[in-house]
Amino acid sequence: MIDEIYFKDDGKVNITAASVGISKRRWICVNESEIENKSYLELMSKNRFDLLPIVSKAETKEYFITKTPNEFSQIERKKIVFEDTLELNTNIRNVIDNFSSRKRTFYFLTFQKGIVGLITIGNLNCRQVQIYIFQHLCDLERTLGDFLNSKLNHNEIIKWLKSKSNPEKENDKYSGILKLYENLTELDLENKITEHFYFVDFFNIINDLKLYEYLGVSGTYWSKYNSINEIRNRIAHPTRSLLDKENTIEKLSKRLGKIDELLFTLNNN
């Protein structure tokens, strides 16, 4: 019966702080015995490290940190306190929310009360976090499709597409969707027209036809979900950094919250 566990696996990707962070076995650090010669100054400035762990007798209880990010003229030595730590198996969503709500840029990772690694806000620009977010977006897109097909029939959706299309325009998106669907129908490969929608189209048609009323929200409130498209655009281009000056950790946390909220609303209405 143990094999039944595998058949019941829902396929959810489990990304933790440890999946994204770096183990103390691989991090760059400074030994306490090397502090007097101030080699850590060059180490931090050369590698552009705002934070550098201090190792003493195989333990890490302190660290160096720049007073101002990317400015290495003033470096402080600090003791690791409880607020500086997270358990290494903390779910990546909670990591993101902690970075955002507590206005932090790093956490030391713990295991059985000992420091075993480090995660910084810069580590979030990695493949593992992109995979986590992409899975959430896939769940949302499927759920939006189910909702749309439960409220509209095929002809109503086709009518909306035709109202948005402009056959005279070169590479018109909506005309392309209609043409592709017609070609598949002629080949007896007909499927749901919503399978050809772009992610943003689900939001547009729900807004245009006021389907948000089935969810018990207003048009103004529905427009707040448009920010989800911003994170979808970044995930669609994996070479782009997930976080930058415009796309902050606060925005990322808020947009993930909107995804969870919309999924809950769709599944419970």
Side-chain angles (χ1 to χ4, degrees), residues 33-260:
S33 59
E34 302 173 321
I35 292 177
E36 286 189 9
N37 62 20
K38 297 187 177 181
S39 59
Y40 64 90
L41 295 173
E42 181 181 356
L43 190 61
M44 293 178 73
S45 60
K46 180 180 178 181
N47 292 283
R48 310 300 297 176
F49 289 159
D50 288 321
L51 182 144
L52 187 68
I54 300 172
V55 177
S56 176
K57 298 179 181 179
E59 291 187 335
T60 304
K61 295 184 177 181
E62 295 179 290
Y63 61 95
F64 286 116
I65 188 169
T66 56
K67 191 171 183 179
T68 304
N70 296 314
E71 174 54 57
F72 302 95
S73 61
Q74 297 185 64
I75 296 176
E76 302 174 328
R77 181 174 180 173
K78 292 189 176 183
K79 183 179 180 180
I80 299 173
V81 296
F82 178 74
E83 287 75 15
D84 296 328
T85 66
L86 283 178
E87 292 186 8
L88 84 170
N89 62 345
T90 303
N91 182 273
I92 194 61
R93 174 59 191 282
N94 292 332
V95 174
I96 292 171
D97 288 344
N98 274 312
F99 273 131
S100 174
S101 63
R102 299 182 184 178
K103 310 297 182 184
R104 296 190 60 90
T105 58
F106 73 93
Y107 282 104
F108 283 97
L109 304 181
T110 62
F111 180 69
Q112 295 181 347
K113 300 180 181 180
I115 303 296
V116 296
L118 173 70
I119 183 171
T120 69
I121 199 168
N123 293 139
L124 298 179
N125 282 321
C126 68
R127 182 175 63 88
Q128 292 94 322
V129 177
Q130 288 178 324
I131 290 172
Y132 168 79
I133 296 174
F134 182 73
Q135 181 189 60
H136 267 43
L137 290 168
C138 284
D139 288 345
L140 178 57
E141 188 165 342
R142 285 179 177 274
T143 308
L144 283 168
D146 291 341
F147 169 73
L148 190 57
N149 286 303
S150 72
K151 302 305 178 187
L152 298 177
N153 61 43
H154 173 78
N155 291 332
E156 288 173 317
I157 298 175
I158 292 293
K159 181 180 179 181
W160 179 81
L161 285 169
K162 288 182 176 179
S163 72
K164 307 292 283 188
S165 66
N166 182 5
E168 304 300 322
K169 180 181 177 182
E170 186 178 2
N171 299 321
D172 178 62
K173 179 178 71 172
Y174 295 106
S175 297
I177 291 175
L178 289 166
K179 184 176 181 180
L180 175 60
Y181 183 77
E182 290 170 359
N183 291 339
L184 289 173
T185 301
E186 291 176 0
L187 294 171
D188 200 25
L189 296 173
E190 181 179 351
N191 53 12
K192 292 181 180 178
I193 186 67
T194 52
E195 292 183 22
H196 304 286
F197 272 33
Y198 290 79
F199 189 72
V200 70
D201 295 329
F202 291 103
F203 293 86
N204 289 338
I205 189 172
I206 290 172
N207 183 68
D208 290 350
L209 302 185
K210 298 183 179 181
L211 301 180
Y212 49 75
E213 293 178 351
Y214 288 105
L215 302 176
V217 302
S218 66
T220 300
Y221 196 88
W222 175 257
S223 65
K224 294 182 179 181
Y225 291 122
N226 289 336
S227 63
I228 296 175
N229 288 298
E230 296 300 325
I231 193 172
R232 172 64 177 81
N233 291 337
R234 301 202 75 79
I235 294 300
H237 302 279
T239 56
R240 293 182 185 176
S241 294
L242 186 62
L243 299 173
D244 54 33
K245 289 183 178 180
E246 293 296 324
N247 295 276
T248 63
I249 187 68
E250 289 78 18
K251 287 183 178 180
L252 176 60
S253 177
K254 186 176 181 180
R255 289 165 181 169
L256 288 175
K258 285 299 180 185
I259 292 175
D260 288 339

Side-chain angles (χ1 to χ4, degrees), residues 4-29:
E4 190 67 17
I5 296 174
Y6 296 95
F7 288 99
K8 293 183 177 180
D9 181 8
D10 62 4
K12 295 288 185 181
V13 178
N14 182 31
I15 305 296
T16 66
S19 307
V20 177
I22 183 169
S23 165
K24 70 176 184 179
R25 294 175 178 80
R26 294 183 290 109
W27 69 18
I28 295 177
C29 60

